[in-house]
Amino acid sequence: MSRWKELPAELDPRVRQLVVRLRLLKDRGELSVRQLATKTGYSAKSWERYLGGRSLAPPDAVEAMARITGDDPTRLLALREVAAEAWREGRASERAEVPDGGPGQEAAPPELEILLSGAEAPPLPGRALRIAVVAGSAALLLAVSSAVLVTLRLGGGDSPAAAPVVVPVTTAPTVSTPAYDCLARRSGGRWYAGNSRTMDATVAYGSAGPEVAEAQCLLRRAGISPGGIDGMFGPLTRGAVLDFQKRAGLVADGVVGPHTWKALRR
């Protein structure tokens, strides 16, 4: 097990909870930061910052960590959303302490403002469903942790206390992730997994839907694990596509197009 450095004392407990969980998963998987970099697509230096509490791990990095260690990605992403809220509050507080327009100060570019605030960049096409799932889970977690028991007392200190009043909390329903099955069968000399029969759709990093699930099933049939069969083209699926393309003698670009579909269905 790694001998971790103590996290910064000023780190928000909500961020600390995420970092500690990521550290536990890394130890449980007996992974080095170099192995994490290889398996997730994020550099070793980036993982050192995430695990040291100096930077907030992005959603794709958190999801990849869950996939490779067998943890629940929805729960881990919900923890990340809670940590992101705390991270944004902390950054906003730091900026409020610095007077605007001071000598030698310049406005930060929009990209830097996004990084400082902990906000996420606009989602890639096809990621809306995953973001909705995470947002729903985060809303539920925040609502449960924010339930308040209010006790009203009438009169002076010797007066009997009124009955406690519980403030009800309503939460928005969460969005379910579509379930995909791998029902591999051969038809007309080609393999199909039951999610899509496409031969020319182009799916790449950030794509989502049945075509991605079909590619994931066919990759698994070829003996290369893309992670879960969830219809989401993340770093693990991209790594599996690259491995398959190299094995098949194709141009290794991590994109599933007509030539890769043809090789997957052989």
Side-chain angles (χ1 to χ4, degrees), residues 201-223:
T202 299
V203 292
Y205 190 87
S207 299
E211 291 80 11
V212 177
E214 180 79 1
Q216 290 172 330
C217 289
L218 294 175
L219 286 165
R220 179 173 290 182
R221 192 199 69 80

Side-chain angles (χ1 to χ4, degrees), residues 105-122:
Q105 293 183 348
E106 296 180 0
E111 295 82 0
L112 182 57
E113 285 296 326
I114 290 175
L115 291 175
L116 290 175
S117 65
E120 298 301 323

Side-chain angles (χ1 to χ4, degrees), residues 5 7 15 26 42 47 53 59 63 77 89 93-94 97 128 149 152 155 162 171-172 203 223 243 248-250 256 263:
K5 293 182 179 179
L7 291 172
V15 180
K26 176 183 176 296
Y42 289 83
W47 275 111
E63 181 184 8
L77 284 168
E89 291 174 1
S93 176
E94 290 177 6
E97 295 176 0
L149 180 64
L152 299 179
T171 60
V203 292
D243 289 345
L250 301 172
V256 181

Side-chain angles (χ1 to χ4, degrees), residues 71-151:
D71 198 41
D72 181 5
T74 302
R75 179 181 177 184
L76 196 60
L77 284 168
L79 285 178
R80 194 268 171 195
E81 287 297 316
V82 175
E85 178 69 19
W87 193 271
R88 285 190 289 268
E89 291 174 1
R91 293 301 183 187
S93 176
E94 290 177 6
R95 289 199 300 272
E97 295 176 0
V98 180
D100 294 334
Q105 293 183 348
E106 296 180 0
E111 295 82 0
L112 182 57
E113 285 296 326
I114 290 175
L115 291 175
L116 290 175
S117 65
E120 298 301 323
L124 294 172
R127 294 177 61 192
L129 177 60
R130 180 172 61 186
I131 293 174
V133 173
V134 175
S137 300
L140 179 59
L141 184 60
L142 286 171
V144 172
S145 63
S146 301
V148 180
L149 180 64
V150 179
T151 303

